[in-house]
Amino acid sequence: MVKEDFGPHFEWGVSSAAFQTEGAWDADGKGPSIWDVFTNRKGKIKGAQHACTACNFYYGYQQDIAWVRKLNIPNFRFSIAWPRVFPKGVGKPNLKGLDFYNRVVDGCLEQGITPWVTLYHWDLPQALQEKGGWTNRDILSWMEEYAGYVVSRLGDRVKRWMVLNEPAVFTGAGYFFGVHAPGLTGVRNFFPAAHHAALAMGRIGRLIRSEVQNGEVGTTFSCSSIHPASSRRRDVDAAIRADALINRLFIEPVLGLGYPTADLKALAAIEKYMQAEDEKALPFDFDFIGIQNYTREVVASSPFVPYLQARLVPAIKRKVPAITAMGWEVFPPAIYEMIKKFSSYPNIPKLIVTENGAAFADTVLDGQVKDAERKQYLIDHLAQVLRAKQDGLNVHGYFVWTLTDNFEWAEGYHARFGLVHVDFDTQQRIVKDSGKWYRTFLSR
Ligand code: FCB
């Protein structure tokens, strides 16, 4: 497999996110985000770790952008920390915060790297959470104010925009299970948060399109291929419900198909938060859809689980041959299945895999990180992406998650996903074998 197999226009990249890398949590007028607050709550993050410094990207961004170039990666996806630009969420912008992103964008362009910017990768200003965050419909106008400002300042140089990162994860983990910020639980938080996130995609998508000339507007979705635990009817039905929740809840309203209530009846309760004009406001014709896949899920029927009546059978219990530090099964066909699934929707101009990668317990030995498992993971997943491409499916790009090891949300720092190893005490970087492999792959 060589790069050329994917054709001359295939987009190659690497992805990252502000909260996971920047650190400098209160520098230069930045306001606190929900993640700054959540990481301080007892028992929420493994080892009570926090992201006050993380990868020090705020101060060391030039070196890390230089790593992107050294690895021959033409596209760098990063996100903007909303509370850096609007410390209170709305109102007076913080010029120093915006200036940081001006420098990051210019830094990319100077090194010949195309910046891809995500507007919301989970770090909501805490001031807005105090007004309900995503459960409050005003989030639409708050985000419009933030996005309008950022896009009008960076849109002359940034042409690739993504509205949200994985709405299913930040609303599910953050507003239903309470395992991510802001740590809220239950359907009375989840349903309004989900509906407002769905509306935000169209609302902000339209705004970007009207502001940015020659831009491409996208948004990104998490997805896992869902396999029933057995061929018994009840497990197959459970898998259909889980698929509606995990893979379809956000893409279908965007495509004008409405929420997948026919396959997951519990979703009908979302309608309580619908206003008259919403049905028309949900759809938006994105230029590209980012899909982010790491694994598959095996689903069994479970009458005790409310709403879903289904449960995920953990990889560890299934005795799978390979498992990552996240406890996720290594299952390369999943990415092919997801590209196929999303390609079967009409009206998606193109799919880009905006995240794929793996965490393993790396060790540094004589200044080297021989991460054979990660390298193999990437090769095997790319082979599946190529298979999808050769089958004529709609995939046009691939971004590795992620450049450097970083703060993996509730997992803290043990889950290392980087192509470049980070010593979090010294901030020293060492390119891993997987990074060297990607560099060689992209060099031809
Ligand atoms: C995705 C997130 C990203 C990272 C990877 C491992 O769900 O978008 O920030 O944490 O998982």
Side-chain angles (χ1 to χ4, degrees), residues 28-228:
D28 296 335
K30 177 180 170 290
S33 77
I34 55 175
W35 273 94
D36 291 311
V37 173
F38 190 71
T39 47
N40 282 324
R41 279 173 59 183
K42 223 173 152 216
K44 292 296 181 189
I45 313 293
K46 272 201 185 141
Q49 288 170 326
H50 56 73
C52 295
T53 305
C55 310
N56 200 36
F57 183 80
Y58 187 74
Y59 297 108
Y61 67 94
Q62 278 164 317
Q63 291 92 304
D64 282 340
I65 295 171
W67 273 112
V68 179
R69 180 183 45 74
K70 282 187 268 187
L71 296 185
N72 296 321
I73 304 173
N75 297 290
F76 181 40
R77 171 179 175 235
F78 58 91
S79 76
I80 294 192
W82 182 343
R84 218 178 263 298
V85 184
F86 285 93
K88 298 210 158 64
V90 287
K92 198 169 172 294
N94 173 30
L95 296 182
K96 285 188 172 166
L98 178 76
D99 187 52
F100 169 63
Y101 296 107
N102 263 318
R103 285 181 278 126
V104 173
V105 167
D106 290 341
C108 287
L109 296 173
E110 278 156 23
Q111 310 248 15
I113 295 160
T114 304
W116 293 53
V117 173
T118 312
L119 281 167
Y120 187 75
H121 201 127
W122 307 356
D123 43 356
L124 188 74
Q126 175 63 19
L128 299 181
Q129 190 54 49
E130 275 149 28
K131 298 180 191 155
W134 285 95
T135 67
N136 185 336
R137 197 177 164 100
D138 290 345
I139 189 83
L140 298 173
S141 53
W142 301 333
M143 189 165 181
E144 203 162 57
E145 188 174 335
Y146 154 64
Y149 181 78
V150 167
V151 163
S152 71
R153 300 313 191 273
L154 303 181
D156 56 333
R157 287 151 293 149
V158 176
K159 299 298 175 189
R160 305 302 183 90
W161 292 90
M162 285 145 287
V163 179
L164 299 182
N165 181 70
E166 300 189 344
V169 176
F170 80 76
T171 59
Y175 287 83
F176 183 79
F177 290 112
V179 296
H180 277 187
L184 298 180
T185 55
V187 284
R188 89 194 149 84
N189 288 306
F190 173 65
F191 284 146
H195 183 52
H196 301 143
L199 283 168
M201 290 187 281
R203 177 99 160 235
I204 305 302
R206 278 182 274 276
L207 181 153
I208 301 171
R209 182 161 292 153
S210 71
E211 281 279 337
V212 181
Q213 293 189 350
N214 305 318
E216 285 195 23
V217 193
T219 196
T220 78
F221 298 112
S222 49
C223 55
S224 294
S225 78
I226 306 290
H227 294 188

Side-chain angles (χ1 to χ4, degrees), residues 17 20 77 121-122 165-166 169 220 222 292 294 326 328 355 401 406-409 417:
Q20 295 177 274
R77 171 179 175 235
H121 201 127
W122 307 356
N165 181 70
E166 300 189 344
V169 176
T220 78
S222 49
Q292 317 199 143
Y294 291 88
M326 297 292 283
W328 298 343
E355 287 183 20
W401 180 269
N406 61 37
F407 180 77
E408 180 45 41
W409 310 112
F417 276 91

